[in-house]
Amino acid sequence: MKLINKISIRFLGVVLLLTPVCVIISYNSIRNKIDNTQIARMKTMNDNVAQLLKEGKISDNYTLGKPIQITKLNSSLPSQKVEIINGSRNQKDVDKKGCLLTVNSFYNINGSTYKITSYNYTTNESQIFWGMMYGMTWKLLLIIIAIIIMARIMSKKMFAPFRESIHTLSSFNLKNRQKIQLPKSNIKELQELNSFIQNMTNKAVEDYNRAREFSENASHELQTPLAVMRTKMELLAETNITEEQAALIADMQNAIEKLSSINRSLVLLSKLDNHEFSTQEQIKFCRITRSVLSMYEDWISLKELCVSTKLDSNIILNIHPSLAEILVANLVSNAIRHNIDGGKLDIVLTNKMLRICNTGEPLDIPHDDIFRRFKKGNQSSDGIGLGLSIVQQICNKTNFFVNYNYINQQHTFSVYFDKNYREENVVISEEKTVAAEA
């Protein structure tokens, strides 16, 4: 829900809650004002009639048919000289004319007690109430219409800087290495928000530049001494050395190669974290899968693996070519490395998923840790523990999903390209894993 709509609804809610209270207050105020005005007017009228009666200027014929009645009493003057009665002598008159208001005033005139009565029909209470409700209903409708119209007009003007800030922020890209320029506003809250966003993005750009510069420098500075060490070891291996020295040199060369592989993997992870790979290129994933398999043919033959492939054609995916090759290569090399001699390697590729299964020993670590950095399923293996972490990172950047399970002495890695297909198959694979463990 938009902010302006939420504010309008809250404001209308307050208006709807306060309106009945205002109607009741106004109704009581108007009714009392009408009654008090009529009572004061009739009291004055009774006083004038009493004065005329004292002067002998009024007779019964004069008041006949008028809303004034003069009655001579045989009793003494009562303590309450004014009596107010709300009621009617004839209920039909009330229904036709309204509520009858009667004022009785008592006077001592020339030694005699007189009661002067005046009455008048006032507006019925229900008529006042429903009249007010009718007027208030129209006012509410006008208020609602005015709020809706004014909210739309004001939102376009008042929230224009906010929308510009959102648009600028949505187009912000760390790879451009440029600081954003937010529009100016005379609203204090928007000024504070823009100031916070400006500082946050500037800090992000600076951190990104430092991280990228560090990774580039670290990669370059590490590769140089590694290359020197590799060259020196090759030269040393060509000299007259003993068998024991040759074994030590071989171990050192393996350690150098492993260190070089770690360096390349960490640099790749850093680039993935910094979003340095575009994922807007459509490629044939089946072609890359076949290319990776041909690259590992010698290793597969060395371990005498039985390979079964089922690769659909024309599998078009939206992924960077380098990331696609690294993704498949890491999964295939992992399946070969942790396979047993003479084991099985099954690879299935459809437009929904890539599945790689291999025989092998169970993991030495929990299944949830297999994609963590420097975590290896078999601690005695010669892997560096970064390949599967890179796989998961690539899947996160390309909106794929990778899943692992171990069933019937087979490791299975599944990369799902379709979200709905993924959710269905993950549930099924988890159920199979639980059943197998049971």
Side-chain angles (χ1 to χ4, degrees), residues 23-212:
V23 169
I24 293 173
I25 295 174
S26 300
Y27 165 73
N28 291 326
S29 177
I30 293 173
R31 186 189 61 183
N32 293 333
K33 189 67 176 177
I34 292 174
D35 290 347
N36 293 335
T37 301
Q38 291 294 332
I39 290 172
R41 186 184 66 81
M42 288 189 286
K43 283 182 179 180
T44 303
M45 187 184 299
N46 290 349
D47 291 340
N48 292 335
V49 171
Q51 185 62 34
L52 293 174
L53 190 61
K54 285 183 181 181
E55 298 173 357
K57 296 181 180 180
I58 193 169
S59 64
D60 292 339
N61 293 330
Y62 178 80
T63 60
L64 187 61
K66 304 292 183 181
I68 297 176
Q69 182 179 358
I70 301 174
T71 305
K72 187 175 181 180
L73 303 177
N74 295 326
S75 59
S76 59
L77 187 67
S79 57
Q80 185 178 355
K81 296 184 179 180
V82 179
E83 182 182 26
I84 299 171
I85 302 173
N86 285 311
S88 176
R89 299 168 186 173
N90 189 348
Q91 187 63 33
K92 293 182 179 180
D93 293 340
V94 176
D95 297 336
K96 293 178 181 179
K97 301 178 181 180
C99 182
L100 180 64
L101 182 62
T102 305
V103 176
N104 295 324
S105 300
F106 299 91
Y107 301 94
N108 190 343
I109 302 173
N110 299 326
S112 300
T113 301
Y114 288 88
K115 181 177 74 170
I116 300 177
T117 302
S118 60
Y119 60 92
N120 193 14
Y121 289 97
T122 61
T123 305
N124 195 293
E125 295 179 357
S126 62
Q127 293 176 340
I128 298 174
F129 178 78
W130 289 112
M132 293 182 62
M133 288 298 296
Y134 179 79
M136 193 60 66
T137 301
W138 280 105
K139 288 180 181 179
L140 273 177
L141 291 175
L142 291 175
I143 290 174
I144 292 172
I145 294 172
I147 289 175
I148 294 174
I149 295 175
M150 291 301 298
R152 297 299 177 273
I153 296 175
M154 293 175 62
S155 65
K156 290 182 179 179
K157 184 176 181 180
M158 294 177 61
F159 288 100
F162 178 74
R163 292 193 183 93
E164 292 181 18
S165 298
I166 294 296
H167 177 72
T168 304
L169 192 60
S170 62
S171 60
F172 173 68
N173 193 340
L174 279 173
K175 291 192 295 184
N176 296 333
R177 303 187 185 185
Q178 294 180 354
K179 297 180 179 180
I180 61 174
Q181 297 295 329
L182 298 175
K184 295 182 179 180
S185 174
N186 56 1
I187 301 176
K188 183 179 179 181
E189 288 78 7
L190 288 180
Q191 292 175 353
E192 294 177 354
L193 177 62
N194 288 348
S195 176
F196 173 77
I197 294 175
Q198 190 79 57
N199 294 334
M200 182 182 66
T201 53
N202 291 346
K203 184 68 166 55
V205 169
E206 294 173 0
D207 291 344
Y208 173 78
N209 291 335
R210 283 196 293 266
R212 185 169 181 174

Side-chain angles (χ1 to χ4, degrees), residues 303 334-341 343-344 358-365 367 370 376-380 404-413:
K303 298 196 71 169
N334 181 79
I336 297 173
R337 178 181 296 108
H338 296 284
N339 214 323
I340 59 177
D341 293 340
K344 297 180 179 180
N358 66 278
T359 52
E361 298 298 328
L363 298 179
D364 296 338
I365 60 174
H367 291 186
I370 195 170
K376 297 188 291 184
N378 187 351
Q379 300 300 324
S380 61
Y404 166 79
N405 57 66
Y406 183 76
I407 303 175
N408 298 328
Q409 297 182 346
Q410 279 199 333
H411 302 275
T412 302
F413 287 90

